[in-house]
Amino acid sequence: MQMPRLWNSNYTKIWLGNFMIFFSFMLLTPLLPLYLYDTFGADKHTIGLVLSGYTIMALITRMFSGYLVDSFPRRVVLIVSFALFFAFFAGYIVAGSLLLFAIVRTLHGAPFGSVTVANSTVAIDVLHPERRAEGIGYYGLSNNVATAISPSVALWIYNETGDFNVLFLISMLVAAVGMVIDATVKMPKRELIRDKAPLSFDRFFLLDGWRQALSMMCFSLSYGVVSTYVAIYGRQKLGIEGGSGFFFLLLAIGLIISRLTGGRKLRQGLVTRNAAVGMSISLCGYFLFALVPNEIGYYGAALIVGLGNGHMYPAYQTMFINLAPNSRRGTANSSLLVSWDVGIGLGTLIGGVVAQYVSYMAAFLVAAFVNLVGVLIFFILIKNHYNAHKLR
């Protein structure tokens, strides 16, 4: 019997739409600190406050986006979110003061949080059930490829033009292309939720996935510590100037390789096996980074963590989806993303405190041991529970 197509036209369009979201987002992210410093004379503390608003707003919005995606027509939620995500890029161009820029940047996080939940939920809808787990793994490649190439493209554009407005316009154009592509997707008909019961917390968060959420927060906390402080650690402690670009490139290569090789295992239903392999590989990478303070540990950890996370993340997303009824796929997706965001935020905060009062090595060791806690939660609380309670 012939397997259903994975790369059907609708899935391909949604994949490209997600690539455009993250490409336009990452085209600006690496250079915004420089823009704020050069244009408004902002200091480091102010830059951090301005840029953190985007992440906080995206996190808050994602908590409600799953409910919106499940309760209203997904096409409407997706296109409206994408249109707002596209429109806010114009705000960067017209913002004439630091305060106005900060407001625009913070508000821009809302449609970003909503469109990422809506797009990933539609991706699951348009996949054939037999290829769903595999498709979830490949869907993440759109993020990884965009994240790998867009910073280099941004630096090249800025070096050639010296004009930040060119970057803002290109990001806006890329987002517009993604919105048009997503608008052509044919989404399967589905019955909307008609639950007249009072709203409760489980409408916004998949309560049956709390174990996965707790473990995921441990993994993202580790990632938050390393990804936030890798550049300054490399420069100040290892004497590596500009090495963080190559670090993230190796990380992206590891993610891409593991997603390509792990997709077939997910299709075979080996979800917990993929998760266990991935988190074990990542754990080795974090301890390598913390315990080997040289270029081998620095760059080797990037590739290893990428290889591990590329197996772990789609497996966890599959677990969230398989624990939720079809009517709550949006809630399952938003629960995963919120868990990841909370961990990233905690990692940035805890890593900074430990690095300031103890050392960077201590911060990275904390990250590694928290990652170990996440692995233990998986084997003690998650693995058997998931296999006993999964819905498909």
Side-chain angles (χ1 to χ4, degrees):
M1 183 177 177
Q2 188 175 6
M3 285 287 292
R5 286 181 60 194
L6 171 62
W7 293 93
N8 61 65
S9 61
N10 290 320
Y11 176 71
T12 302
K13 291 174 182 177
I14 285 293
W15 194 98
L16 289 171
N18 196 57
F19 174 85
M20 299 298 179
I21 293 169
F22 279 89
F23 188 89
S24 59
F25 167 66
M26 289 301 298
L27 199 64
L28 299 184
T29 300
L31 290 175
L32 281 182
L34 180 61
Y35 171 76
L36 293 174
Y37 177 78
D38 288 349
T39 306
F40 302 113
D43 57 27
K44 294 178 181 178
H45 177 67
T46 303
I47 290 171
L49 287 176
V50 171
L51 299 184
S52 64
Y54 188 98
T55 304
I56 294 170
M57 183 61 75
L59 170 60
I60 293 172
T61 306
R62 279 173 170 169
M63 295 178 68
F64 300 97
S65 296
Y67 170 75
L68 294 175
V69 168
D70 289 336
S71 303
F72 298 94
R74 284 179 182 155
R75 173 182 292 278
V76 175
V77 177
L78 175 60
I79 300 305
V80 170
S81 300
F82 220 138
L84 290 172
F85 177 70
F86 150 75
F88 268 100
F89 283 108
Y92 299 137
I93 299 174
V94 301
S97 67
L98 181 61
L99 177 61
L100 185 56
F101 186 94
I103 293 172
V104 171
R105 181 64 179 173
T106 298
L107 293 177
H108 200 184
F112 176 76
S114 181
V115 75
T116 48
V117 171
N119 205 78
S120 61
T121 304
V122 171
I124 295 166
D125 285 344
V126 300
L127 282 165
H128 191 281
E130 292 184 31
R131 307 300 297 269
R132 186 167 293 146
E134 184 181 12
I136 288 172
Y138 289 134
Y139 178 80
L141 281 174
S142 55
N143 303 16
N144 303 146
V145 174
T147 301
I149 65 176
S150 53
S152 298
V153 173
L155 288 169
W156 177 79
I157 293 171
Y158 180 69
N159 289 334
E160 290 294 317
T161 65
D163 189 346
F164 284 102
N165 283 337
V166 173
L167 283 172
F168 296 147
L169 285 170
I170 292 175
S171 292
M172 191 175 181
L173 178 62
V174 172
V177 172
M179 180 177 62
V180 171
I181 292 173
D182 268 10
T184 65
V185 174
K186 295 180 180 179
M187 303 178 193
K189 292 182 179 180
R190 66 184 186 89
E191 185 177 348
L192 297 179
I193 294 176
R194 302 297 181 189
D195 189 355
K196 297 182 180 180
L199 289 181
S200 57
F201 184 68
D202 64 345
R203 296 287 295 275
F204 303 98
F205 187 87
L206 187 67
L207 292 180
D208 204 31
W210 71 265
R211 299 165 183 82
Q212 283 81 359
L214 185 61
S215 181
M216 179 60 80
M217 281 190 282
C218 291
F219 299 145
S220 60
L221 186 149
S222 304
Y223 182 79
V225 173
V226 172
S227 62
T228 301
Y229 301 103
V230 63
I232 191 169
Y233 164 72
R235 184 175 71 243
Q236 292 185 356
K237 301 300 180 181
L238 303 182
I240 301 174
E241 290 290 342
S244 60
F246 190 51
F247 177 94
F248 285 108
L249 177 61
L250 288 173
L251 181 75
I253 290 172
L255 286 165
I256 292 169
I257 292 172
S258 58
R259 284 184 182 270
L260 289 172
T261 57
R264 183 173 298 177
K265 298 297 183 183
L266 288 175
R267 187 180 73 200
Q268 295 170 355
L270 303 176
V271 178
T272 54
R273 178 185 178 279
N274 247 34
V277 169
M279 66 182 68
S280 300
I281 293 173
S282 292
L283 181 63
C284 294
Y286 285 113
F287 273 108
L288 176 66
F289 192 86
L291 298 175
V292 183
N294 56 35
E295 291 191 13
I296 294 176
Y298 188 86
Y299 292 120
L303 183 62
I304 293 171
V305 169
L307 287 169
N309 282 2
H311 283 293
M312 177 275 296
Y313 192 94
Y316 265 69
Q317 186 172 13
T318 301
M319 284 192 280
F320 270 96
I321 296 300
N322 288 348
L323 287 171
N326 292 340
S327 61
R328 300 190 64 211
R329 285 176 183 166
T331 302
N333 265 325
S334 64
S335 300
L336 170 75
L337 292 169
V338 167
S339 303
W340 181 264
D341 288 344
V342 170
I344 291 286
L346 289 174
T348 302
L349 176 63
I350 294 172
V353 172
V354 176
Q356 180 175 349
Y357 291 103
V358 187
S359 68
Y360 284 114
M361 293 304 295
F364 298 139
L365 275 174
V366 168
F369 278 107
V370 171
N371 199 273
L372 175 60
V373 171
V375 173
L376 294 176
I377 291 172
F378 172 80
F379 284 107
I380 296 172
L381 296 178
I382 294 175
K383 186 176 180 181
N384 292 335
H385 176 271
Y386 169 75
N387 288 325
H389 292 85
K390 61 183 178 181
L391 301 180
R392 46 191 166 269

